[in-house]
Amino acid sequence: MTTVGILTGGGDCPGLNAVIRAVVRTGAKHGFDTIGVRDGWLGLVVGNVEPLTDYSVTGILPKGGTILGTSRTNPFKNEADVQRLRDNIRKFGIDAIVAIGGEDTLGVANRLSQMGVPVVGIPKTIDNDVAATDYTFGFDTAVSIVTEAIDRLHTTAESHHRVMVVEVMGRNAGWIATVAGIAGGADAILIPEIPFDLDEVASHLRARYERGKKFSIVVVAEGARSVEESRLDKKAFKKAREQMSGSIGYRVAREIQDATGLESRVTVLGYLQRGGTPVAFDRVLASQFGTAAANMLAEGNYGKMVALQDNRLVGVPLENVANRIKSVPVDHRMIETARDVGTCLGD
Ligand code: F6P
């Protein structure tokens, strides 16, 4: 094997360029040429590629985003695209692929692997919801961004005696909300894994107010839902959310203000959580994932995703992670910590 194709798929996040740099440099040690595939799997469908050399990756380690671009293209949505992808793998002489992405990107990688294409996956997402790895790169940077935002919101909440609701990303998992909520000292953290009862939240905030704490911080994961909503089937839930004015953070703030009389305001952090330079932990984790993936290719160890498990880098079969997500276990140590420091989790 001599030529490796590398692509970044799904939502971008800080650390992607550190991975690309590590794959190119480690691959060169094994005598590999690396071809950069632009815009995720789309680049292989349409043949949008570029050679990556040491010069291409010099200085990109601290750079946010991805120099290759990304997309949410899934070639298996259209049989013709799969054939075009396979034709392009042959056309560009790609012997193996390094796919950097979340559960959807890795799902495509798994299907290609099962068709005989040598693939190694690398878990990427700010959500930290990829199965079988303790961490994905991008997560710690997002947590740092949210923590800094919470610190800033503390001062204005305290000055105005307000409840500040901070809505964070994480898709259908509550990792960002849980960990950044603990780091920022949130008074309440609402996550998809623990359906919330707004009355519980309201009484917690009222009790705080009575104790003389005239302000509160509530972190709400974008996928959080109430107990009632958790009983709805997918279709009914989707319909209910389409009729909801504003995102969940706005609804929670409205309901808190109505229930407690405490003035409430909302900050939706959105794409700030995916922007900018990676923190040191993510730079190192991304570099380790990239070097491990290139070394696995050199060993002929395909069909795997590089993962961090109990502080060790391992390879896990792609079929074990494809199209699955890792939710926050309700008995996770982070949940216990939040409860032990008196954080309301809405239950
Ligand atoms: O998966 C990362 C993520 O930022 C999620 O947290 C968020 O729900 C989603 O991507 C947003 O998707 P898009 O970038 O397509 O708007």
Side-chain angles (χ1 to χ4, degrees):
M1 180 193 65
T2 58
T3 303
V4 175
I6 182 170
L7 62 92
T8 56
D12 75 313
C13 78
L16 278 165
N17 290 320
V19 179
I20 294 167
R21 171 178 173 271
V23 170
V24 170
R25 289 198 167 168
T26 310
K29 282 175 63 179
H30 294 297
F32 300 162
D33 292 325
T34 306
I35 290 182
V37 177
R38 292 202 186 93
D39 301 335
W41 294 110
L42 178 65
L44 273 181
V45 172
V46 301
N48 189 358
V49 301
E50 63 179 287
L52 287 180
T53 62
D54 188 61
Y55 181 74
S56 322
V57 299
T58 298
I60 69 169
L61 174 93
K63 194 169 180 290
T66 160
I67 61 169
L68 291 175
T70 185
S71 74
R72 294 188 183 280
T73 300
N74 180 336
F76 286 97
K77 289 223 164 68
N78 173 350
E79 265 317 295
D81 284 351
V82 178
Q83 192 50 53
R84 291 167 73 194
L85 181 146
R86 300 192 71 170
D87 293 345
N88 279 321
I89 287 175
R90 262 192 303 279
K91 174 181 172 187
F92 295 111
I94 292 173
D95 300 304
I97 294 172
V98 173
I100 309 166
E103 75 276 9
D104 295 333
T105 302
L106 297 172
V108 173
N110 179 49
R111 292 186 68 173
L112 287 174
S113 176
Q114 289 171 349
M115 292 163 76
V117 177
V119 180
V120 168
I122 295 179
K124 165 276 331 170
T125 175
I126 64 165
D127 304 339
N128 196 42
D129 63 355
V130 174
T133 184
D134 297 344
Y135 288 102
T136 54
F137 71 86
F139 172 63
D140 198 47
T141 302
V143 167
S144 303
I145 291 167
V146 175
T147 303
E148 196 213 340
I150 293 173
D151 289 350
R152 290 179 180 281
L153 291 168
H154 255 100
T155 60
T156 179
E158 189 161 16
S159 305
H160 285 265
H161 323 298
R162 281 170 170 166
V163 175
M164 280 290 171
V165 172
V166 190
E167 183 182 314
V168 301
M169 284 185 160
R171 205 182 285 274
N172 297 314
W175 293 103
I176 296 176
T178 302
V179 177
I182 293 170
D187 303 297
I189 300 173
L190 306 183
I191 60 174
E193 295 86 346
I194 303 177
F196 64 83
D197 174 348
L198 207 283
D199 292 341
E200 287 298 323
V201 180
S203 60
H204 183 86
L205 301 184
R206 256 197 304 271
R208 218 178 105 80
Y209 190 90
E210 297 312 320
R211 290 197 307 274
K213 286 288 185 182
K214 306 294 186 193
F215 73 98
S216 289
I217 302 284
V218 178
V219 176
V220 180
E222 63 180 334
R225 57 185 66 186
S226 65
V227 172
E228 298 77 16
E229 286 175 313
S230 68
R231 295 183 183 128
L232 299 175
D233 63 30
K234 213 168 175 173
K235 195 159 162 260
F237 176 72
K238 188 168 181 292
K239 190 160 179 289
R241 282 298 169 95
E242 280 162 0
Q243 289 162 353
M244 187 168 82
S245 67
S247 59
I248 186 65
Y250 284 93
R251 193 188 92 196
V252 166
R254 213 170 27 248
E255 291 176 350
I256 287 172
Q257 183 161 304
D258 293 347
T260 64
L262 299 174
E263 198 179 22
S264 303
R265 291 290 187 275
V266 182
T267 300
V268 178
L269 291 176
Y271 295 88
L272 284 172
Q273 298 160 93
R274 295 209 328 230
T277 186
V279 298
F281 179 83
D282 280 342
R283 295 183 191 194
V284 173
L285 182 60
S287 299
Q288 289 181 311
F289 278 168
T291 54
N295 290 333
M296 281 164 71
L297 289 178
E299 294 152 12
N301 190 3
Y302 312 130
K304 303 273 179 60
M305 175 190 85
V306 182
L308 182 70
Q309 291 181 354
D310 302 326
N311 226 14
R312 289 172 42 249
L313 287 174
V314 296
V316 296
L318 278 167
E319 65 262 16
N320 295 358
V321 299
N323 303 111
R324 283 178 46 201
I325 71 160
K326 178 188 70 195
S327 298
V328 181
V330 292
D331 60 351
H332 193 274
R333 59 187 164 80
M334 292 287 185
I335 297 293
E336 297 308 319
T337 301
R339 292 190 193 281
D340 287 348
V341 296
T343 310
C344 170
L345 291 164
D347 57 355

